[in-house]
């Protein structure tokens, strides 16, 4: 019993250490990139930095780097995509907090971007982050070894964050009538609004590692499932009871467990050392990893 507990404690510690390693590697690259920006008006840089470098958990970049590692890729090729994805995630948070959307005041314990810099600067910081994301991943095209992989990844990035992905999900969310919606509608909304960015992370990590189509498809399914589980867990913490009522037939917690187990099954099919990504599925659903 005591031995088992010690073993479980060590697994948890390893996961946390690895998460922190990925996060630190990523942030080193991100900071260097932001510091290297030239010709950007200082007000815009300030507003971008305020949100991009302000304590995000960096789940999506970590997920991308972990998939690249699992499939034996070179992380140097993935960092620009990890930055791009975090920039898109950050733009979505800035815009989501605006008065015309959620009208929030605080994010990550600090005033929202539009409170600190004004609405017009916040809109432009979001626009700039979205555009910058595509600039960073399409730079250095003279290194054409990875051209096809880069193009595929750019396409996934655009698709998952655009009209049939996150932005599409946001407009459905703004207009949804819960009285005439079904669980299927809610899951579609969650997939588009939240899970597709997770799925993009996993897929891009796999693509840039040169994985075959079967493994890329496994990464896509894993990403979508943990993304949905993450969103439902977020609703559980926020007591979003109106939405959680849709999961009443088996309780939202049971649904989260079921869908993260399905995600882990996809990992098993991919093979290799999947320990970190297995634990990530538990970490994201706010369940203890041990
Ligand atoms: C405005 C285009 C547009 C899209 C908005 C992502 C999104 C769509 C809205 C954000 C609000 C929200 C509740 C999103 C659901 C996903 C979620 C819980 C995001 C927060 O992600 P974390 O926890 O954030 O990874 P940090 O702060 O760690 O970066």
């Amino acid at each position: 019993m005591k031995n088992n507990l010690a073993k479980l404690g060590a697994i948890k510690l390893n996961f946390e250490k690895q998460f922190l390693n990925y996060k630190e590697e990523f942030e080193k690259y991100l900071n260097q990139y932001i510091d290297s920006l030239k010709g950007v008006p200082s007000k815009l840089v300030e507003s971008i930095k305020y949100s991009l470098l302000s304590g995000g958990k960096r789940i999506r970049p970590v997920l991308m780097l972990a998939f690249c590692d699992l499939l034996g890729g070179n992380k140097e090729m993935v960092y620009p995509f990890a930055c791009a994805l975090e920039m898109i995630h950050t733009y979505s948070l800035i815009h989501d907090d605006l008065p015309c959307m959620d009208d929030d005041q605080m994010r990550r314990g600090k005033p929202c971007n539009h409170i600190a810099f004004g609405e017009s600067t916040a809109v432009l910081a979001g626009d700039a982050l979205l555009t910058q994301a595509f600039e960073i991943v399409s730079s250095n095209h003279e290194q054409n070894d990875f051209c096809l992989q880069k193009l595929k990844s750019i396409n996934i990035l655009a698709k998952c964050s655009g009209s049939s992905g996150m932005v599409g999900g946001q407009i459905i969310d703004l207009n949804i009538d819960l009285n005439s919606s079904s669980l299927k509608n809610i899951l579609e909304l969650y997939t588009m609004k939240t899970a597709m960015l997770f799925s993009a992370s996993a897929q891009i990590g796999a693509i840039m590692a040169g994985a075959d189509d079967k493994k890329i498809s496994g990464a896509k399914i894993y990403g979508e499932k943990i993304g949905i589980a993450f969103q439902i867990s977020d609703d559980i913490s926020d007591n979003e009871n109106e939405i959680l009522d849709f999961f009443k037939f088996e309780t939202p917690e049971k649904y989260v467990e079921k869908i993260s187990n399905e995600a882990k099954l996809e990992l098993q099919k991919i093979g290799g050392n999947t320990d970190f990504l297995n634990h990530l599925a538990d970490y994201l659903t706010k369940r203890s990893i041990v």
Side-chain angles (χ1 to χ4, degrees):
M1 177 76 173
K2 217 169 155 189
N3 269 353
N4 275 351
L5 276 179
K7 217 163 138 188
L8 292 174
I11 292 173
K12 187 171 180 218
L13 215 64
N14 266 343
F15 168 77
E16 285 168 355
K17 215 169 121 195
Q18 184 60 50
F19 192 103
L20 203 66
N21 277 347
Y22 281 135
K23 188 171 182 257
E24 283 173 2
E25 282 171 21
F26 165 73
E27 285 183 339
K28 191 171 161 209
Y29 189 95
L30 180 68
N31 285 323
Q32 277 170 4
Y33 173 72
I34 293 295
D35 287 343
S36 75
L37 287 176
K38 300 259 180 319
V40 184
S42 58
K43 174 119 189 183
L44 194 55
V45 175
E46 231 185 291
S47 169
I48 286 173
K49 279 186 164 177
Y50 181 82
S51 294
L52 187 62
L53 311 178
S54 72
K57 293 183 287 300
R58 314 300 195 196
I59 295 166
R60 296 153 193 82
V62 167
L63 173 59
M64 197 186 288
L65 293 170
F67 255 99
C68 172
D69 261 352
L70 173 69
L71 295 163
N74 173 0
K75 284 192 296 229
E76 288 303 317
M77 301 307 300
V78 168
Y79 288 131
F81 283 96
C83 284
L85 217 129
E86 190 68 5
M87 285 179 197
I88 291 173
H89 165 64
T90 306
Y91 119 74
S92 80
L93 299 180
I94 297 174
H95 281 193
D96 191 60
D97 290 337
L98 287 169
C100 62
M101 300 254 180
D102 263 10
D103 194 11
D104 278 321
Q105 310 291 306
M106 300 290 284
R107 159 112 17 217
R108 299 174 182 148
K110 287 198 328 184
C112 292
N113 197 297
H114 66 274
I115 303 287
F117 294 90
E119 230 175 293
S120 42
T121 301
V123 168
L124 292 172
D127 293 343
L129 280 162
L130 174 59
T131 321
Q132 199 78 39
F134 288 94
E135 184 179 327
I136 187 172
V137 292
S138 56
S139 298
N140 297 325
H141 37 73
E142 66 279 5
Q143 295 166 9
N144 52 14
D145 295 356
F146 287 85
C147 256
L148 190 61
Q149 279 149 277
K150 276 190 179 180
L151 204 58
K152 276 188 183 172
S153 299
I154 291 171
N155 180 255
I156 285 173
L157 197 60
K159 209 167 160 181
C160 292
S161 54
S163 316
S164 52
M166 183 181 71
V167 174
Q170 179 74 353
I171 199 148
I172 295 175
D173 196 10
L174 290 175
N175 294 292
I176 198 161
D177 174 6
L178 291 179
N179 293 320
S180 59
S181 301
S182 63
L183 175 62
K184 187 169 168 276
N185 299 138
I186 303 296
L187 290 174
E188 273 166 11
L189 158 63
Y190 280 8
T191 303
M192 291 170 77
K193 186 178 115 167
T194 308
M196 281 176 77
L197 275 201
F198 281 82
S199 167
S201 283
Q203 287 181 79
I204 293 170
I207 291 170
M208 293 309 292
D212 62 29
D213 286 350
K214 217 168 150 191
K215 289 195 164 86
I216 296 168
S217 158
K220 177 176 190 277
I221 299 171
Y222 169 87
E224 272 178 17
K225 289 193 185 283
I226 60 163
I228 294 172
F230 174 72
Q231 179 63 70
I232 301 171
S233 302
D234 200 58
D235 289 343
I236 295 173
S237 330
D238 293 347
N239 291 316
E240 296 280 358
N241 292 327
E242 244 189 317
I243 290 266
L244 295 174
D245 276 354
F246 284 93
F247 298 92
K248 249 189 181 147
F249 63 99
E250 56 181 344
T251 80
E253 289 82 1
K254 278 258 174 302
Y255 191 86
V256 166
E257 194 179 334
K258 184 180 100 175
I259 199 160
S260 39
N261 285 340
E262 287 169 5
K264 291 178 189 175
L265 215 62
E266 286 305 316
L267 285 179
Q268 267 181 34
K269 291 187 209 159
I270 294 173
N273 184 353
T274 56
D275 287 356
F276 180 81
L277 286 162
N278 256 311
H279 294 144
L280 187 68
D282 291 333
Y283 165 79
L284 291 184
T285 52
K286 301 182 175 70
R287 284 178 294 140
S288 166
I289 65 155
V290 291

